[in-house]
Amino acid sequence: PNNEPNRNDIPVGGQVPQSVPQGEYGTQTSQVSGAQEVAARLRERIESAQGDSKSGLREVENRVTREFAQENGLWIENEFKLGVPFPSGDEHYNYIDAENQVIYKVNNRMHTPSILDLLDRIEQHNKYFPDSKYSLVGFTSVSKNGDVMPVFAQGFVPDARMATVDEIDSYMGTLGFTRVGDGRYSNGEVVIKDLKPRNVLADADGDIYVVDA
């Protein structure tokens, strides 16, 4: 029999572990908690390192983030131990942990090259969509000198479906946003992009979850 999670077990908001068990995946117990604290401490170190370096920002971010993650128990040596590979988009490599009802997303920085910008973007996502929040669990890389990739976790529920455009319009309306373009919504101050059915899900009760934006 096939023991892999059902393809319809799609990520939505829920309770997720605060961190990946570092004894198995990383190097030690995490010394920091929360994306905001990580972003603040990383920003300070990256800005300091960039001022003393002739390297580009991406190279500095990779080096400093790797060092920071290894020092603070946030380094994940083997992303394949996170769970069973799950259908992914162009921005994330996904792994599902069915036992703990968590989907791990390894962000390859395709759409947001800067790690600091990416953490800021995740903070904004969590502000507007707390029911499908991302929890930062660590960092990883496919090679010793490769790009460092943040690893996030979201909850999931079985048998979710893609929301319709009308459902997305209605949901965003409750948050004070109106559609101003294809997948674009604005409240007059903030524009949220890429809210298309592939990134917005509805559960069996019709509740809406924005899993990517």
Side-chain angles (χ1 to χ4, degrees):
N2 185 358
N3 293 322
E4 292 189 2
N6 188 290
R7 187 175 293 269
N8 291 324
D9 290 349
I10 302 177
V12 300
Q15 298 298 315
V16 298
Q18 292 301 309
S19 63
V20 174
Q22 295 298 317
E24 180 175 357
Y25 299 118
T27 57
Q28 57 184 341
T29 302
S30 176
Q31 302 299 311
V32 294
S33 61
Q36 287 180 310
E37 181 182 352
V38 170
R41 292 176 60 176
L42 265 180
R43 188 179 301 279
E44 181 178 352
R45 289 180 57 162
I46 288 171
E47 289 176 351
S48 176
Q50 190 177 16
D52 299 331
S53 173
K54 296 182 180 180
S55 303
L57 176 60
R58 193 179 188 102
E59 182 178 341
V60 171
E61 280 197 336
N62 281 330
R63 175 174 54 82
V64 172
T65 302
R66 183 187 295 267
E67 293 171 354
F68 177 86
Q70 291 173 339
E71 291 169 6
N72 290 280
L74 292 169
W75 189 254
I76 298 171
E77 293 288 353
N78 186 352
E79 68 178 84
F80 296 102
K81 289 187 177 181
L82 292 170
V84 177
F86 193 71
S88 306
D90 57 2
E91 184 178 22
H92 294 113
Y93 309 128
N94 296 333
Y95 301 90
I96 197 164
D97 177 354
E99 180 178 355
N100 292 306
Q101 296 192 330
V102 174
I103 185 164
Y104 292 100
K105 296 185 172 184
V106 180
N107 189 292
N108 59 26
R109 296 162 60 191
M110 176 179 291
H111 296 324
T112 311
S114 166
I115 291 176
L116 293 178
D117 289 348
L118 177 57
L119 293 179
D120 288 343
R121 176 182 147 201
I122 293 301
E123 182 180 345
Q124 289 301 305
H125 175 101
N126 291 348
K127 174 182 177 180
Y128 289 105
F129 309 116
D131 289 340
S132 56
K133 69 179 182 180
Y134 284 78
S135 294
L136 177 69
V137 295
F139 299 88
T140 191
S141 180
V142 296
S143 65
K144 182 178 180 180
N145 297 314
D147 274 341
V148 172
M149 300 180 291
V151 180
F152 301 99
Q154 278 184 322
F156 74 92
V157 295
D159 300 324
R161 60 173 175 80
M162 290 189 294
T164 66
V165 173
D166 286 344
E167 287 175 323
I168 298 171
D169 286 349
S170 178
Y171 174 72
M172 293 302 292
T174 67
L175 301 180
F177 287 79
T178 56
R179 180 152 50 97
V180 294
D182 185 20
R184 296 166 59 93
Y185 292 78
S186 174
N187 64 0
E189 297 180 355
V190 175
V191 175
I192 298 177
K193 304 176 183 178
D194 210 24
L195 287 186
K196 299 179 180 181
R198 66 174 180 267
N199 293 326
V200 185
L201 306 173
D203 68 10
D205 296 323
D207 293 326
I208 302 298
Y209 300 88
V210 176
V211 297
D212 198 7

